[in-house]
Amino acid sequence: SEKEYTEFKGEQYFKDDYTNVTPTILGKIGENLHNVPSHPLCLLKERIHACLEGFTHYDSFSPVVKVRDNFDRLLIEPDHPGRSKSDSFFFNRQHMLRTHTTTHELDVYEHRNIDKFTITADVYRRDEIDSSHYPVFHQMECVHLLDRSEIAKNAAHATHHPSKTPAGLVVSDPTSELSKLSESNPIQSEHSIEEVEIVAYQLKATLNHILYQLFAESAGSGDSTLEIRWIEAFFPFTSPSWEVEIFYQGAWLEVLGCGILKQKILDQAGRSNSMGWACGLGLERLAMVLHKIPDIRLFWSKDARFLDQFQASDKTLAIFRPFSKFPPCTRDIAFWCSSLEFEANDLFDLVRDIAGDFVESVSLIDSFVHPKSGRKSMCYRIVYRSMDRYVFPTKRHRSFILPRYSFNIISK
Ligand code: PHE
């Protein structure tokens, strides 16, 4: 019979109406790809660390956090979509898998006397299935707190240098003038415009520097430009807030969110003498752009043909060489929904549970409500493809192997 609690690392989490963690998702915990030597995510972590002087780096916080610390204490509204069962993984109403590294800023504020730090960790979200989404991914939080009395002294010298951009990096920043901040992206009432100018300048200069450094290492790839843009954003725990997007594979890809930390959060965590900025970098997205890795599932591959392409000793960033010979295989699936409130993320988790990393994408291609019965029907297209599996021919299939061509036959 089903247990009435989920056991994880010796703790028991009693199930309730919020419980939705699956064995598949729990099985991913502990892989800690960001700490695996020579894994591209670990190498990226180390490259970013090298850009940040004087920062303390954390990378082993537990992924199980209090719902309160993931949301409430970061001033995330009660009706924020991330709080719903359809978007996040819950053990129960009190405990969940962290959805972002921002939650651990609180640990550092309260328990460590540190002003400049990074936190790298695996984070968990229920989402669609395609080449840039996976229910587990990795973020690096960077935080810099400044002494408010020091900032005030410097305030008189606040200037807006256009950030120096190296050839090959195209940075567009229409948000660079604070006067242009919209009402939806205001400075906080606790802060003066001069303070915000200084802190925001540091934030943008630091992040542009990191992106430039990372890109400079990939310059050897023959690709001559990297286009990034700053756009205004909204996060409950920062204001003003921004996002940086990189132009990749024909579209703008969000790689980080950032902003000036809400003073209320710092005050409540006993850091009222400080003011600061924070950002959360999406490591997979950045690594995909830097190494031209086409699919996020590859990071989970144990195949030497993937892992051996990345070495700590690499002077320039390796450009990923595809090795899977497998063609995609497409199947459409149509079904009637038992109610009109169908959650697509429930289907996506089900598909992941069954097909694992063979599933490349799931997309809605048709839906229909029967005019008489009112019942709803959906049709999804599932694309399967192995990123790395190499199937040795069985005896039965050996005869199909010609000297120059191999057929990818998986016997069922
Ligand atoms: N936590 C945010 C996210 O996961 C990113 C972020 C971090 C934004 C820090 C602002 C400051 O999307």
Side-chain angles (χ1 to χ4, degrees), residues 67-78:
V67 171
R68 202 170 108 73
D69 291 342
N70 194 81
F71 295 126
D72 302 65
R73 295 185 65 208
L74 295 172
L75 311 180
I76 295 178
E77 321 78 291

Side-chain angles (χ1 to χ4, degrees), residues 201-318:
Y201 173 75
Q202 286 207 3
L203 156 68
K204 290 186 174 184
T206 307
L207 292 177
N208 283 339
H209 171 71
I210 292 175
L211 293 170
Y212 167 59
Q213 287 297 316
L214 294 177
F215 178 65
E217 291 177 53
S218 76
S221 70
D223 202 320
S224 57
T225 57
L226 177 74
E227 244 185 295
I228 70 170
R229 70 177 183 193
W230 285 82
I231 54 174
E232 281 184 11
F234 173 81
F235 299 102
F237 31 88
T238 52
S239 193
S241 307
W242 300 277
E243 270 168 8
V244 173
E245 297 182 333
I246 298 188
F247 197 70
Y248 183 59
Q249 291 184 344
W252 288 101
L253 193 65
E254 182 205 325
V255 295
L256 70 88
C258 63
I260 308 295
L261 284 160
K262 285 268 174 85
Q263 202 57 39
K264 192 171 171 198
I265 298 177
L266 290 174
D267 290 352
Q268 286 176 355
R271 295 290 195 114
S272 49
N273 294 332
S274 304
M275 172 177 170
W277 59 262
C279 77
L281 295 144
L283 294 185
E284 274 85 349
R285 297 262 178 103
L286 271 174
M288 285 172 78
V289 175
L290 290 167
H291 298 286
K292 300 203 179 0
I293 295 173
D295 194 293
I296 196 164
R297 286 172 296 162
L298 280 159
F299 293 103
W300 297 88
S301 174
K302 297 277 179 283
D303 195 305
R305 288 170 302 167
F306 175 73
L307 296 171
D308 288 355
Q309 295 196 27
F310 309 95
Q311 310 291 339
S313 56
D314 289 346
K315 289 276 176 294
T316 55
L317 290 167

Side-chain angles (χ1 to χ4, degrees), residues 36-213:
V36 173
S38 290
H39 189 279
L41 295 175
C42 183
L43 295 178
L44 178 56
K45 175 189 81 171
E46 289 164 354
R47 282 189 193 102
I48 300 173
H49 286 177
C51 300
L52 293 167
E53 230 170 276
F55 280 65
T56 301
H57 305 298
Y58 301 101
D59 56 19
S60 354
F61 284 112
S62 165
V64 184
V65 297
K66 293 199 178 102
V67 171
R68 202 170 108 73
D69 291 342
N70 194 81
F71 295 126
D72 302 65
R73 295 185 65 208
L74 295 172
L75 311 180
I76 295 178
E77 321 78 291
D79 59 350
H80 190 277
R83 289 182 182 259
S84 71
K85 285 172 64 171
S86 61
D87 281 37
S88 303
F89 291 104
F90 293 89
F91 283 92
N92 52 37
R93 283 180 176 267
Q94 279 79 42
H95 288 93
M96 64 184 302
L97 293 174
R98 64 184 159 221
T99 61
H100 55 175
T101 41
T102 307
T103 180
H104 298 300
E105 287 186 20
L106 299 165
D107 297 68
V108 180
Y109 299 150
E110 292 185 332
H111 305 298
R112 303 167 211 242
N113 185 23
I114 295 285
D115 289 337
K116 292 159 84 172
F117 57 91
T118 71
I119 300 159
T120 306
D122 39 330
V123 300
Y124 297 77
R125 292 186 199 175
R126 303 183 71 198
D127 219 323
E128 49 203 291
I129 300 185
D130 64 27
S131 63
S132 65
H133 288 90
Y134 199 78
V136 193
F137 59 100
H138 296 76
Q139 284 187 325
M140 184 190 290
E141 195 86 1
C142 305
V143 178
H144 188 173
L145 300 188
L146 297 106
D147 198 313
R148 278 191 89 178
S149 56
E150 294 294 314
I151 305 173
K153 273 188 228 151
N154 285 318
H157 309 294
T159 45
H160 263 289
H161 310 284
S163 33
K164 257 196 244 150
T165 35
L169 184 69
V170 182
V171 180
S172 80
D173 185 2
T175 71
S176 71
E177 288 193 18
L178 286 172
S179 54
K180 283 197 198 137
L181 287 180
S182 64
E183 259 169 56
S184 58
N185 203 20
I187 70 166
Q188 300 163 50
S189 59
E190 293 94 325
H191 298 154
S192 72
I193 186 112
E194 291 82 8
E195 284 178 313
V196 177
E197 287 204 342
I198 292 180
V199 179
Y201 173 75
Q202 286 207 3
L203 156 68
K204 290 186 174 184
T206 307
L207 292 177
N208 283 339
H209 171 71
I210 292 175
L211 293 170
Y212 167 59
Q213 287 297 316

